[in-house]
Amino acid sequence: MTKTSPHTAPVSKPAPNGKTAMIIGAGPAGLMAAERLAGDGYGVTIYEGMPSAGRKLLMAGKSGLNITHSEDLETFLTRYGTSRARLEPHLRKFGPDQIREWCAGLGVETFVGSSGRVFPTAMKASPLLRAWLRRLDDLGCTIHYRHYWTGWNDTGHAVFKTPDGADGEITATADITVLALGGGSWKRLGSDGKWMEILQNAGIKCNPFKPANCGFDIDWTDHLIDKCAGHPVKAVTLTCGDQTVRGEFVISKTGIEGSAVYAISATLRDQWLETGIGTLTLDLCPDRTLDDVTKRLSKPRGKNSIGNHLRKTLGLDATKTALIFEVTPRETLNAPTALAIIIKNLTLHIKKPRPLDEAISTAGGVAWEELDDNFQLIKRPGTYCLGEMVDWEAPTGGYLLSGCLRGILGG
């Protein structure tokens, strides 16, 4: 893709339809908007504050780049919670099937994992990003790195800080502006959230950032940390409020994290924000009834330790057993009926979510009422907000990236 020197003032170039588009942010949402608009005949210029594009995408690719999910579309749409109504029309036009076709068009084959998640066959993000940038170059897009957006000037032009120091401020304008500046986590990758103050000063309502798909702090004993930190807890269900998820999570030195925790994190986070208390209930034997667990625990223990008894009768591993010991009074360990209830309803009390910058993603951002159906700012016609900077959230599993890749439709 075409690059300019730091001293070159970016100028949007006319294109087949005689119009220009300015994309601010070179993450998945911005790059997809650039592709769609260039395909519609716009002259597209992309401005990115970091030295390269797609840094958070590349970070996600270190674990395989879960790009979407293969479940049926109706189930897929339920993953977007209260934002479903706003996202659904766009996801129906460019959903999981279309994303896989788009990847294939870039020469990136995909496969469905055992959990239904979709990954590039190469299990990396870099080949996809390179092919994508080549396509944008072929479409005539221009990109300017190290151009950090600082707002609009009095004439309505976008202002960018460049590497030229005090004299490195330039302005640009276009027929369409797309803001795709990310959320408020992983600042070192470019999503610093500073755009929120700019928009608020322009009279645009933004809801405060909240961590999403995050871990939580728990006051573990030193014994549990020494014994179990870094260990997975597999084949469990987690319940918070009226939400229950099945999966696995990891015990960390500070608390809990991992896929099942992320899936329930929005409910647990909101409970904590509303009440100051976050309560998570685990079922360590989700495939057994309470009666079955009670009967198995009531078998004579003989000379077996409690841990061996739990392993032999219920198949509980050392990590699950350590969790039981962590929260269970000593006298209860010898009472099969009471112990069975704990195993089926083990309660964890969280202190707080992990810090915002550690979260995989963030909720909060531009309020829905500020946007029309095509994500155009009602108070600033011709300017669109896309991706994670809008106040929606989704669990991990390909839903986050799918929501960002829907691009700019009908705009």
Side-chain angles (χ1 to χ4, degrees), residues 26-252:
L31 295 180
M32 184 58 80
E35 180 178 336
R36 297 292 183 85
L37 290 167
D40 287 343
Y42 284 82
V44 176
T45 305
I46 306 169
Y47 302 90
E48 168 58 44
M50 300 298 285
S52 58
R55 292 197 162 199
K56 195 170 182 181
L57 182 72
L58 292 173
M59 176 63 76
K62 289 187 175 181
S63 59
L65 190 63
N66 179 196
I67 198 164
T68 192
H69 203 287
S70 65
E71 66 193 1
D72 68 276
L73 185 59
E74 297 308 315
T75 302
F76 182 88
L77 292 170
T78 65
R79 310 303 185 187
Y80 293 89
T82 57
S83 295
R84 172 177 175 170
R86 297 298 298 264
L87 294 171
E88 181 172 346
H90 303 274
L91 290 168
R92 286 191 180 277
K93 293 178 184 177
F94 196 76
D97 290 343
Q98 292 76 22
I99 289 172
R100 297 191 71 185
E101 291 170 4
W102 171 78
C103 287
L106 290 173
V108 176
E109 296 303 318
T110 56
F111 74 97
V112 179
S114 58
S115 64
R117 300 182 180 200
V118 177
F119 301 88
T121 302
M123 293 296 286
K124 295 179 181 179
S126 51
L128 184 147
L129 182 59
R130 286 195 298 268
W132 199 359
L133 293 175
R134 285 195 299 269
R135 172 179 287 179
L136 294 176
D137 192 30
D138 291 342
L139 288 168
C141 300
T142 301
I143 189 165
H144 303 280
Y145 295 118
R146 294 188 173 93
H147 281 67
Y148 185 89
W149 182 63
T150 59
W152 294 285
N153 63 15
D154 292 341
T155 61
H157 289 199
V159 180
F160 298 90
K161 182 171 62 177
T162 74
D164 292 338
D167 298 326
E169 191 173 272
I170 59 93
T171 64
T173 188
D175 295 299
I176 283 181
T177 297
V178 175
L179 301 178
L181 293 156
S185 63
W186 291 84
K187 291 181 176 63
R188 66 185 179 87
L189 301 179
S191 299
D192 62 15
K194 292 181 180 179
W195 54 263
M196 185 179 286
E197 184 177 355
I198 297 170
L199 295 189
Q200 288 174 326
N201 289 339
I204 296 164
K205 180 183 176 183
C206 297
N207 296 320
F209 285 128
K210 298 183 288 187
N213 294 293
C214 60
F216 295 85
D217 287 346
I218 294 177
D219 279 330
W220 297 130
T221 61
D222 290 341
H223 177 75
L224 185 82
I225 293 171
D226 291 341
K227 187 177 181 64
C228 297
H231 291 197
V233 182
K234 298 183 177 181
V236 293
T237 61
L238 290 73
T239 299
C240 180
D242 59 2
Q243 184 184 8
T244 297
V245 300
R246 179 163 180 157
E248 63 181 75
F249 66 94
V250 174
I251 295 174
S252 69

Side-chain angles (χ1 to χ4, degrees), residues 1 22 52 54 64 69 78 114 147 182 215 223 259 293 309 322 341 388:
M1 183 173 293
M22 172 168 48
S52 58
H69 203 287
T78 65
S114 58
H147 281 67
H223 177 75
S259 58
V293 172
H309 190 56
I341 292 173
E388 203 180 333

